[in-house]
């Protein structure tokens, strides 16, 4: 039996789909314990008791449709008009736009592909150093994961059974801190201007606002709906999906009606990929908890680590490694159930833990040697990945500094969430 | 295989792919429509239907399982894939074939486990949503896992013969979390 399990793990490393691997391990574990195999599917079917799950497919669809439309270009134009006057204006614009875009699309690499192609030439043209521009865009590919309605935040809420509305609020200040520090660094590195500051006239700003008129209310609609007490998270996702559908297909007509079924199917594939990993992990997690694995893990760890702060430091190191090996959705689904009971034993707040998790996984995306963003950017900009290691280094250090602040000042996450 | 048969199989395959796309789109539209309908009822008329919430939750499961089926056909499942690059290119199709076969077996067992689950639901589950037995709503599990298993099997065959793939290897390459 153990040999079969080991073989399954080898197949996972060779590229077998993760849900297949977890399901295989769960099936082996249950049959080894003499339990009926149908229990695996019974555990999976328990997902139907999770009302928050509705928000995932709907936000995924809204994000996919937005990235297929002209929304990135409109957002970029408007942000340049509004923020272009700042020193380091374009770099700050890049950070803000990427963050907002990633919050809506999740961090599946869409940001680097949809916005990188627009931002990179613009940054280089504005005489930002090539290395700096590449580093900025590579890092920004996963910036914004902490802002609502980010999919990984929702998934953490589903897996950890934490309140998603609180998680949304908790991510705002840490996310802003990250933006502020990265923005500050960008301002320092901004090239000396050639011809004074770039300012926009009132009429230009008006035109930009008019152009993005239908997309601007979207964040307000979602957040206002949830925190005004009108909508639960799943319903807010439905309103967002409906709004984006009407605006991009019928108002802006960026996406022809004939392309819509394919885009819908594509977003359901993305959701399906996540759902089966989640379903499989329902079964395996149940088995692990049944076997008291988290309890035993905690007993072992507590022999060596007594303080909460040392635990958090070790947790950060562990999650950084996880973050650069696993994609964010599978990392959340696999690691959260194991860590959660241990973290709670060290009296780490559930919501704070979520923000720590996501910050780590976000940083993992651009951590050498195997962070996903590095490879996406290397592919997109036809640059050797080793060049990107160097280019992202200063940004990575800033993100690590933010991680330290987020970890050791829980109030930053918990103040807004109450 | 004779040419006529090959083209017939390809036409049917294409039709099935279209059908799959529209089925997924339909499930998504139903989720958006019903959820917005529910909000409208509550905010405007201060009323609602009790069956809407559980129906939406089942639709999510159906959309996810059939989305996973579609992802299987296009190599869009989340994979770790940390060491396969160490294998020489010559052996890559062989490796993929093996992985597909392994996945087909596991999903086959899952489908069988799901059949057992649905059978016990038929016996003991009782009537739930919209007067239908709870087993009806859980049918998506055996159907989707069964079809996913078949699709992995077809992908394994395609790896060997290059027959089911439009371009060789295009549908069987593992992708990382739906990355473009």
């Amino acid at each position: 039996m153990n040999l079969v399990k080991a073989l399954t793990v080898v197949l996972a490393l060779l590229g077998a789909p993760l849900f297949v691997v977890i399901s295989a391990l769960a099936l082996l574990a249950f049959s080894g314990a003499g339990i009926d195999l149908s229990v695996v599917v019974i555990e999976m079917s328990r997902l139907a008791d999770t009302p928050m799950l509705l928000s995932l497919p709907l936000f995924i669809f809204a994000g996919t449709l937005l990235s297929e439309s002209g929304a990135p270009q409109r957002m970029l134009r408007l942000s340049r008009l509004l923020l272009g006057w700042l020193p380091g204006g374009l770099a700050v614009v890049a950070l803000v736009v990427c963050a907002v875009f990633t919050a809506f699309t999740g961090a599946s690499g869409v940001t680097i592909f949809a916005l990188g192609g627009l931002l990179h030439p613009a940054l280089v043209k504005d005489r930002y150093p090539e290395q700096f521009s590449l580093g900025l865009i590579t890092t920004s590919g996963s910036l914004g994961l902490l802002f609502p309605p980010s999919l990984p935040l929702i998934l953490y809420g589903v897996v950890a059974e934490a309140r998603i509305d609180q998680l949304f609020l908790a991510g705002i200040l840490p996310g802003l801190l990250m933006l502020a520090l990265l923005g500050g660094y960008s301002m320092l590195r901004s090239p000396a201007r050639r011809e004074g500051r770039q300012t926009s006239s009132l009429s230009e700003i008006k035109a930009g606002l008019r152009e993005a008129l239908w997309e601007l209310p979207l964040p307000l609609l979602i957040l206002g709906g949830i925190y005004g007490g009108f909508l639960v998270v799943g319903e807010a996702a439905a309103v967002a999906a409906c709004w984006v559908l009407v605006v991009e297909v019928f108002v802006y007509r960026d996406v022809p009606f004939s392309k819509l079924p394919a885009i819908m199917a594509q977003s359901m594939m993305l959701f399906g990929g996540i759902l089966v990993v989640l379903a499989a992990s329902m079964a395996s997690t149940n088995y692990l908890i049944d076997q008291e694995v988290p309890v035993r893990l905690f007993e072992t760890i507590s022999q060596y680590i007594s303080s909460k702060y040392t635990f958090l430091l070790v947790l950060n190191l562990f999650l950084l490694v996880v973050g650069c090996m696993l994609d964010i959705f599978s990392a959340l689904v696999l690691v959260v159930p194991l860590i959660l009971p241990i973290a709670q034993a060290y009296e780490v707040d559930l919501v704070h833990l979520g923000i720590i998790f996501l910050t780590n996984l976000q940083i993992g995306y651009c951590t050498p040697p195997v962070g996903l963003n590095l490879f996406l950017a290397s592919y997109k900009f036809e640059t050797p990945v080793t060049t990107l290691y160097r280019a992202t280094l200063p940004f990575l250090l800033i993100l690590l500094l933010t991680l330290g602040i987020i970890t050791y000042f829980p109030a930053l996450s918990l103040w807004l969430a109450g | 295989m004779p040419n006529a048969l090959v083209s017939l199989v390809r036409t049917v395959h294409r039709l099935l792919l279209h059908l799959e796309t529209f089925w997924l789109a339909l499930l998504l539209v139903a989720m958006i429509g019903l959820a917005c309908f529910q909000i409208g009822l509550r905010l405007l008329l201060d009323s609602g239907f009790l069956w809407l919430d559980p129906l939406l939750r089942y639709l999510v499961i159906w959309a996810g399982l059939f989305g996973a089926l579609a992802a299987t056909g296009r190599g869009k499942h989340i994979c770790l894939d940390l060491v396969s690059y160490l294998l020489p290119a010559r052996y890559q199709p062989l490796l993929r074939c093996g992985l597909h076969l392994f996945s087909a077996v596991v999903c086959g067992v899952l489908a069988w486990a799901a059949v057992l689950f649905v059978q016990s639901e038929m016996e003991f589950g009782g009537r739930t949503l919209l007067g239908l037995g709870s087993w009806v709503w859980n049918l998506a599990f055996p159907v989707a896992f069964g079809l996913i298993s078949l699709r992995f099997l077809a992908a394994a065959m395609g790896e060997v013969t290059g027959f089911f793939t439009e371009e060789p290897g295009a549908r069987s390459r593992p992708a990382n979390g739906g990355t473009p």
Side-chain angles (χ1 to χ4, degrees):
Chain A
M1 186 66 88
N2 282 338
L3 190 72
V4 185
K5 281 183 193 164
L7 188 70
T8 309
V9 174
V10 172
L11 289 173
L13 295 177
L14 283 169
L18 204 58
F19 88 95
V20 171
V21 172
I22 306 171
S23 301
L25 290 174
L27 287 167
L28 285 170
F30 278 112
S31 76
I35 300 169
D36 196 277
L37 286 187
S38 64
V39 171
V40 174
V41 183
I42 293 175
E43 288 300 327
M44 290 181 171
S45 73
R46 275 183 35 227
L47 277 179
D49 302 331
T50 318
M52 292 182 285
L53 208 55
L54 175 67
S55 50
L56 273 181
L58 300 182
F59 275 132
I60 288 176
F61 168 63
T64 312
L65 194 55
L66 275 178
S67 60
E68 293 279 335
S69 71
Q73 287 91 327
R74 281 189 289 274
M75 256 163 60
L76 188 58
R77 270 199 293 274
L78 180 62
S79 313
R80 282 193 84 162
L81 289 170
L82 293 174
L83 299 171
W85 56 273
L86 283 168
L90 185 62
V92 175
V93 166
L95 289 168
V96 171
V97 173
C98 284
V100 173
F101 195 68
T102 308
F104 275 90
T105 57
S108 49
V110 184
T111 307
I112 289 180
F113 276 79
L115 283 167
L118 302 170
L119 285 169
H120 182 250
L123 283 165
V124 172
K125 194 172 154 215
D126 244 26
R127 298 202 306 172
Y128 283 89
E130 171 76 13
Q131 283 259 9
F132 172 86
S133 312
L134 284 173
L136 180 86
I137 291 166
T138 311
T139 323
S140 306
S142 51
L143 197 64
L145 281 185
L146 295 176
F147 292 124
S150 119
L151 296 173
L153 267 181
I154 298 175
L155 192 63
Y156 174 83
V158 170
V159 178
E161 294 176 12
R163 274 182 53 189
I164 293 175
D165 54 340
Q166 285 188 351
L167 282 166
F168 279 179
L169 287 177
I172 291 176
L173 287 181
L176 285 177
L177 173 72
M178 214 176 265
L179 270 183
L181 291 179
L182 289 171
Y185 172 69
S186 304
M187 285 178 182
L188 285 177
R189 290 292 309 274
S190 81
R193 290 259 165 226
R194 281 159 294 181
E195 43 205 78
R197 286 187 175 175
Q198 181 193 334
T199 48
S200 329
S201 69
L202 201 62
S203 61
E204 278 176 320
I205 293 178
K206 265 189 191 164
L209 282 172
R210 210 175 304 124
E211 192 188 38
L213 183 68
W214 291 100
E215 278 146 356
L216 287 175
L218 193 56
L220 272 182
L221 208 67
I222 296 172
L223 298 183
I226 296 173
Y227 298 106
F230 306 109
L231 306 170
V232 293
V233 177
E235 292 174 335
V239 171
C242 190
W243 182 273
V244 172
L245 181 67
V246 171
V247 164
E248 304 304 342
V249 178
F250 299 106
V251 179
Y252 289 119
R253 300 189 187 175
D254 285 341
V255 179
F257 196 74
S258 57
K259 265 185 78 181
L260 207 53
I263 294 175
M264 288 178 157
Q266 189 196 332
S267 41
M268 286 309 95
M269 278 182 235
L270 204 61
F271 170 59
I274 298 169
L275 181 104
V276 280
V277 176
L278 190 61
S281 83
M282 294 284 285
S284 67
T285 303
N286 190 281
Y287 179 78
L288 291 178
I289 290 172
D290 212 45
Q291 298 293 309
E292 299 186 328
V293 173
V295 177
R296 276 187 274 162
L297 261 177
F298 173 66
E299 279 168 3
T300 316
I301 295 173
S302 60
Q303 286 173 0
Y304 303 99
I305 300 170
S306 56
S307 116
K308 171 180 170 180
Y309 295 102
T310 322
F311 166 73
L312 286 175
L313 181 69
V314 176
L315 179 69
N316 278 335
L317 293 174
F318 169 69
L319 287 178
L320 283 175
V321 176
V322 169
C324 65
M325 308 279 264
L326 286 180
D327 109 310
I328 196 158
F329 295 114
S330 31
L332 282 172
V333 168
L334 290 178
V335 181
V336 169
L338 278 179
I339 298 293
L340 199 63
I342 303 173
Q344 279 179 323
Y346 280 104
E347 294 177 345
V348 181
D349 186 274
L350 201 63
V351 172
H352 183 214
L353 182 71
I355 304 303
I356 295 177
F357 250 92
L358 288 197
T359 312
N360 273 296
L361 297 181
Q362 177 198 329
I363 297 174
Y365 264 95
C366 12
T367 308
V370 283
L372 182 63
N373 277 358
L374 297 163
F375 288 92
L376 291 177
S378 158
Y379 175 77
K380 170 81 188 171
F381 302 114
E382 295 173 1
T383 311
V385 78
T386 41
T387 311
L388 290 168
Y389 291 168
R390 278 195 301 277
T392 45
L393 195 62
F395 296 93
L396 204 57
L397 291 176
I398 293 172
L399 288 178
L400 286 172
L401 174 70
T402 328
L403 173 65
I405 299 174
I406 289 172
T407 309
Y408 291 109
F409 293 93
L412 190 68
S413 311
L414 299 177
W415 186 55
L416 276 182
Chain B
M1 225 182 301
N3 275 343
L5 191 60
V6 170
S7 73
L8 180 71
V9 170
R10 286 209 168 128
T11 312
V12 171
H13 185 228
R14 225 179 6 252
L15 276 176
L16 285 176
L17 287 181
H18 279 305
L19 194 70
E20 180 175 65
T21 302
F22 280 102
W23 172 233
L24 287 176
L26 185 72
L27 286 170
L28 177 61
V29 169
M31 282 192 284
I32 299 174
L34 286 174
C36 288
F37 176 61
Q38 189 185 30
I39 300 166
L41 279 182
R42 199 185 63 235
L43 293 183
L44 300 176
L45 304 174
D46 206 12
S47 74
F49 294 111
L50 278 178
W51 48 266
L52 261 173
D53 243 357
L55 176 61
L56 274 169
R57 296 207 294 263
Y58 278 117
L59 279 176
V60 173
I61 302 287
W62 280 62
L65 286 173
F66 286 99
L69 171 63
T72 308
R74 295 162 182 84
K76 288 233 163 135
H77 275 295
I78 298 175
C79 310
L80 293 184
D81 196 13
L82 296 176
V83 293
S84 70
Y85 69 92
L86 296 174
L87 210 67
R90 258 185 72 203
Y91 298 109
Q92 292 286 345
L94 207 61
L95 169 69
R96 285 200 294 265
C97 181
L99 291 177
H100 290 324
L101 280 178
F102 166 69
S103 307
V105 171
V106 174
C107 291
V109 178
L110 278 178
W112 180 63
V115 168
L116 293 181
F117 165 54
V118 168
Q119 272 176 349
S120 77
E121 283 291 293
M122 278 170 105
E123 234 172 291
F124 310 110
R127 293 191 176 280
T128 48
L129 187 56
L130 298 176
L132 293 169
S134 62
W135 65 273
V136 177
W137 298 104
N138 284 309
L139 267 182
F141 285 99
V143 174
F145 282 130
L147 290 173
I148 289 175
S149 175
L150 287 179
R151 207 166 228 174
F152 273 125
L153 209 60
M157 273 168 59
E159 226 32 89
V160 181
T161 60
F163 176 71
F164 279 98
T165 44
E166 286 86 19
E167 38 179 314
R171 292 195 298 118
S172 48
R173 230 179 2 242
N176 204 335
T179 301

